[in-house]
Amino acid sequence: VQLQASGGGLVRAGESLRLSCTASGSISSINDMGWYRQAPGKQRERIAAVAKNGARYYADSVKGRFTASTDTTKTTVSLQMNSLKPEDTAVYYCNADMTTLSGTYSNAWGQGTLVTVSS
């Protein structure tokens, strides 16, 4: 199972970016798919997720500015980031909890994509 993320870059404060992450491989179902970020010198934190039943999670730091969504196949998760702030600067990682075709549980990480917000 692999996760491929894309969409990072350099923007100015107040601008928007959209990240996407697609899962591929021997996947039966994805139970939860979302985004973490890790800023320099800080721990990785979970910021947004979409559960299989459609429930969404947002960290307080991004609530109201970021929106996570999945496509109809449920194998791609996107993160629309609006009103970006310099403190949103971090490496963003997608993550997925899934059940494989063999019936086992699996958790996978994407490779990370850098988001830099200048003031």
Side-chain angles (χ1 to χ4, degrees), residues 54-73:
R56 283 164 170 75
Y57 163 83
Y58 295 103
D60 288 343
S61 57
V62 306
K63 202 172 291 184
R65 299 187 298 122
F66 291 11
T67 302
S69 59
T70 56
D71 67 348
T72 54
T73 68

Side-chain angles (χ1 to χ4, degrees), residues 8-118:
L10 170 64
V11 296
R12 295 181 177 181
E15 294 183 340
S16 300
L17 269 179
R18 186 177 181 87
L19 307 181
S20 291
C21 176
T22 298
S24 61
S26 301
I27 301 169
S28 174
S29 67
I30 295 179
N31 307 312
D32 182 279
M33 199 169 183
W35 295 91
Y36 289 67
R37 69 184 181 187
Q38 187 166 19
K42 295 189 177 181
Q43 289 188 327
R44 189 174 297 189
E45 61 170 339
R46 188 182 188 217
I47 58 169
V50 183
K52 186 177 180 180
N53 64 3
R56 283 164 170 75
Y57 163 83
Y58 295 103
D60 288 343
S61 57
V62 306
K63 202 172 291 184
R65 299 187 298 122
F66 291 11
T67 302
S69 59
T70 56
D71 67 348
T72 54
T73 68
K74 307 293 186 184
T75 59
T76 294
V77 63
S78 297
L79 185 68
Q80 178 65 40
M81 304 185 294
N82 298 329
S83 302
L84 283 161
K85 305 175 181 180
E87 52 263 43
D88 294 318
T89 294
V91 178
Y92 285 68
Y93 298 89
C94 59
N95 176 270
D97 277 344
M98 66 203 88
T99 302
T100 67
L101 291 175
S102 62
T104 58
Y105 165 83
S106 179
N107 183 275
W109 291 91
Q111 79 278 19
T113 183
L114 178 62
V115 172
T116 304
V117 184
S118 63

